[in-house]
Amino acid sequence: MRARTVVVILLVAIGLGLLTGRFVLPARSAPITRAVTPGAVTSSPGNGSDAPKPAGGPMTGRHLLAAAEFRKAGFPKHIYMRDRFGDGRYANEACTGEKTLGETLGGSDSYFRGLMTTRDADSSDPTLAMNIEDQVAREVAADAHSPALAQNFTERLLLEEVPCQNEPATHWVYGPTHTIDVAPSITASWLGYYNGDLNTTGTAPRGKEPCGGIAILWNGSHYGVLEVDACLDTAAMTRIVRAAVTQL
């Protein structure tokens, strides 16, 4: 504001003060705020970082979830990591059926990462622990070669899991769908796991925390499925899934 204008405003304020018995000064302008998309990751003030950009190009091991993310989420045990490349099963045979990504989508080979608390892996698939109780998580991810196709694949994969939200009483069941929007074309949907003891009505119980779950991930031309066998609650699942889709 120019000095002459400031002087005029102050003179008017003083004049009003003389007439009314008090001085009236111009109101402060409202602070400028940035619009934030719900669920999106924003940069910390002053760090100069931008929102992550959608992925593109070939998949590599660096796009998969690291064991360190589980330590950050409070998982106490040491985690061993096993990777492989090819096709293979995903999802849960007791609900959606045991299939491979190739059978479901007809896509190319995928990267598999198993996170477990043991070195004893299944002889037919090193990303699977010999004992399911030792499995922490397992991620399957691939490059669809275009964001549009990757989005289509994730929508189809999510539709496969939705029926598992309604199962006969005493059968394990998934809870409601949670969506995490990190940035445009970087999003994930996850469903919490509830065992049959908590399923008395055919759906997940209200007010109860999940015990792990499954997430469908989309980041640019990359897509994936993350199964979390560790018994993580809502806050921990949200943290892990956000980390996975951002890394993807």
Side-chain angles (χ1 to χ4, degrees):
M1 187 178 290
R2 293 182 180 179
R4 183 179 298 176
T5 305
V6 172
V7 171
V8 171
I9 291 175
L10 289 175
L11 289 175
V12 171
I14 292 170
L16 289 173
L18 293 174
L19 292 174
T20 61
R22 61 179 181 176
F23 294 107
V24 181
L25 295 177
R28 237 184 225 182
S29 14
I32 298 173
T33 56
R34 293 176 58 191
V36 178
T37 303
V41 172
T42 57
S43 57
S44 301
N47 67 4
S49 61
D50 297 321
K53 295 179 180 179
M59 282 286 302
T60 66
R62 68 180 179 83
H63 293 108
L64 301 179
L65 185 65
E69 295 299 338
F70 283 88
R71 290 194 292 272
K72 294 175 184 177
F75 188 78
K77 297 181 180 179
H78 179 75
I79 296 176
Y80 297 92
M81 192 169 68
R82 298 287 185 272
D83 289 358
R84 73 175 180 83
F85 182 75
D87 197 8
R89 71 176 180 84
Y90 70 97
N92 303 274
E93 63 176 310
C95 175
T96 61
E98 195 173 80
K99 295 181 288 185
T100 70
L101 277 181
E103 290 171 339
T104 301
L105 304 174
S108 58
D109 287 341
S110 308
Y111 271 88
F112 288 72
R113 172 163 293 173
L115 302 168
M116 55 195 83
T117 58
T118 179
R119 295 181 185 271
D120 297 326
D122 191 311
S123 58
S124 63
D125 188 339
T127 65
L128 291 170
M130 187 67 71
N131 187 333
I132 186 61
E133 293 180 358
D134 297 324
Q135 192 83 33
V136 176
R138 187 166 179 263
E139 185 177 6
V140 186
D143 179 22
H145 305 297
S146 80
L149 189 56
Q151 181 182 21
N152 176 270
F153 283 174
T154 56
E155 290 172 352
R156 289 163 62 183
L157 288 166
L158 181 60
L159 285 174
E160 274 198 340
E161 304 302 331
V162 168
C164 304
Q165 293 172 322
N166 293 274
E167 290 291 328
T170 72
H171 189 284
W172 71 264
V173 66
Y174 280 145
T177 304
H178 303 263
T179 300
I180 300 173
D181 293 318
V182 176
S185 300
I186 305 177
T187 187
S189 296
W190 69 270
L191 297 77
Y193 173 88
Y194 296 82
N195 66 38
D197 294 339
L198 296 175
N199 177 13
T200 59
T201 62
T203 58
R206 293 185 178 181
K208 297 288 185 179
E209 286 292 330
C211 186
I214 191 168
I216 309 299
L217 316 172
W218 172 40
N219 186 329
S221 66
H222 296 173
Y223 67 97
V225 179
L226 175 66
E227 295 177 79
V228 178
D229 297 283
C231 195
L232 303 187
D233 61 13
T234 299
M237 277 294 294
T238 299
R239 179 177 188 133
I240 288 294
V241 173
R242 183 184 291 275
V245 73
T246 303
Q247 185 69 24
L248 186 67

